[in-house]
Amino acid sequence: MRPRLADVARMAGVDVSTASRVLRGEESQRIRPETRERILESARSLDYSPNTLAQGLRTSRSRTLGLIVPQLDNPVFASAIRGAEKSSARHGYSLLIAHRESGATDAVYHRLSHGNRADGLLVASLDDDALLREELESTHTPFVLLNRQLSGSPYCVVLDSRAAAAIAVDHLAQMGHKRIAHLAGRPGGFNAGERLAGYRDGLKRHGIPFDPKLVAVAGYTAEGGADAMRSLLALKPTAVLGATLVTAAGAMALLHEAGLQIPRDISVMGLHDAPVATMLYPQLTSVKMPTELMGEIASDLLIDLLNGGTPQPVAPLAPDGLVIRASTGPAPR
């Protein structure tokens, strides 16, 4: 039979209410450290886990977080999910994951917060600000944004995409590239703007004039990356920076199809890094970003908020550094 709280209390030699307070994480000064440790050891010995459903009925809290992502096949979001799961488990929360494509009209936010009774939401979204704000405000549920900002919403955890794009351009410029194209994200989007700004920062630092014709909108899909790369071929860039690993992979597929050799004819880079970068041919040079840490910090922040805390805003998370592989080389002579 599944062990009960009463079994833990009996083994530890305490009453049920004392065992309950310790296992809920209450830091009561009236419980001696040795008693607390005895209760925890009894719970471990019996393999006891709290009945979160029963707790939720008593407290109107489910100890569940909902996490919404716009893409399931994007390694950035997979990494953020791992970080959020690590934090949730550490705090005794469960994590529900839902997929919502950009521009969709389904009620995923409301379903998680009301139907599934998630206490709070972690939200990664490619929707425009107006739509996202309307959806979130209608849930009346605490939330933290992942890798984007929203006016009037103080709780977000973002990556320093501007610094990452500048690092990428630095790498290409130092190898002699002057015609560096950029596969940009969604026009008007927070991250797209940050990456474009970083791209321009890098060009300026190396005295390379900005040419708007070398910027093509790719969005966040491999198909978008291929289409944007196709539109740039006539301009003969010697290097291209994809706003994401996925769009860079799409560009590489198009370049292979066009008979161009990477990096002899053109160098390719992407922002973010994941094992799939080593599965491409040639292996993709990238700027590594702390995406798992982003998910973990966002979950920590949300749980702090749910517990009545007033967390401070989180500064953008700096890139982890350049990962040089075979897709970049000197500019063609």
Side-chain angles (χ1 to χ4, degrees):
M1 292 178 60
R2 176 176 174 171
R4 300 170 302 163
L5 180 60
D7 300 324
V8 175
R10 187 180 304 110
M11 177 178 280
V14 299
D15 58 48
V16 172
S17 62
T18 301
S20 177
R21 290 202 305 276
V22 168
L23 296 174
R24 286 202 306 268
E26 292 186 12
E27 299 293 333
S28 172
Q29 298 301 314
R30 293 179 297 175
I31 301 175
R32 291 183 298 178
E34 57 268 28
T35 302
R36 185 183 303 277
E37 182 54 38
R38 195 165 68 249
I39 293 168
L40 293 174
E41 179 56 36
S42 297
R44 286 191 291 267
S45 175
L46 292 171
D47 195 22
Y48 170 78
S49 57
N51 187 331
T52 54
L53 178 59
Q55 288 181 350
L57 292 173
R58 289 195 303 271
T59 65
S60 297
R61 290 181 59 177
S62 64
R63 297 191 71 81
T64 298
L65 305 181
L67 192 158
I68 300 100
V69 295
Q71 296 171 314
L72 290 173
D73 55 355
N74 189 321
V76 172
F77 299 120
S79 180
I81 289 169
R82 283 197 300 273
E85 174 62 27
K86 184 186 298 183
S87 164
S88 299
R90 185 170 65 247
H91 292 286
Y93 278 72
S94 298
L95 188 67
L96 291 176
I97 299 164
H99 171 228
R100 158 130 174 187
E101 293 183 357
S102 177
T105 57
D106 57 278
V108 64
Y109 300 107
H110 194 275
R111 186 178 76 242
L112 283 176
S113 59
H114 294 273
N116 297 110
R117 298 182 67 245
D119 295 332
L121 301 176
L122 297 165
V123 180
S125 172
L126 302 178
D127 287 328
D128 63 62
D129 286 2
L131 176 59
L132 180 60
R133 182 179 292 105
E134 180 183 349
E135 293 270 10
L136 289 172
E137 288 179 351
S138 70
T139 67
H140 306 290
T141 302
F143 65 88
V144 172
L145 297 173
L146 287 169
N147 209 26
R148 73 172 290 167
Q149 293 178 341
L150 186 66
S151 176
S153 300
Y155 298 117
C156 62
V157 182
V158 302
L159 304 170
D160 194 343
S161 296
R162 183 168 184 164
I167 289 170
V169 174
D170 280 344
H171 172 63
L172 296 169
Q174 286 164 3
M175 291 189 295
H177 293 278
K178 296 186 182 299
R179 292 190 60 73
I180 303 170
H182 177 45
L183 308 178
R186 176 176 62 85
F190 169 74
N191 276 308
E194 290 293 291
R195 291 164 184 154
L196 179 59
Y199 164 75
R200 297 188 66 164
D201 290 344
L203 294 177
K204 184 177 181 180
R205 188 150 57 223
H206 292 275
I208 302 172
F210 171 67
D211 182 353
K213 294 192 294 294
L214 286 174
V215 177
V217 175
Y220 302 101
T221 65
E223 294 79 10
D227 290 342
M229 190 71 251
R230 184 180 293 108
S231 72
L232 292 167
L233 286 180
L235 300 176
K236 300 188 182 304
T238 65
V240 60
L241 168 62
T244 69
L245 186 155
V246 173
T247 54
M252 290 178 72
L254 186 280
L255 292 169
H256 288 314
E257 185 181 301
L260 296 174
Q261 291 192 28
I262 306 168
R264 189 194 70 181
D265 300 320
I266 183 170
S267 290
V268 182
M269 283 194 70
L271 299 184
H272 298 293
D273 194 56
V276 69
T278 66
M279 302 174 196
L280 300 170
Y281 180 78
Q283 294 187 357
L284 181 67
T285 296
S286 66
V287 179
K288 188 175 182 181
M289 305 291 279
T291 48
E292 183 170 327
L293 179 63
M294 175 181 68
E296 186 173 358
I297 291 175
S299 177
D300 284 344
L301 193 157
L302 180 57
I303 292 168
D304 186 10
L305 202 59
L306 293 172
N307 289 332
T310 53
Q312 295 298 308
V314 179
L317 305 181
D320 287 331
L322 185 65
V323 183
I324 300 175
R325 299 192 180 97
S327 69
T328 53
R333 294 181 180 273

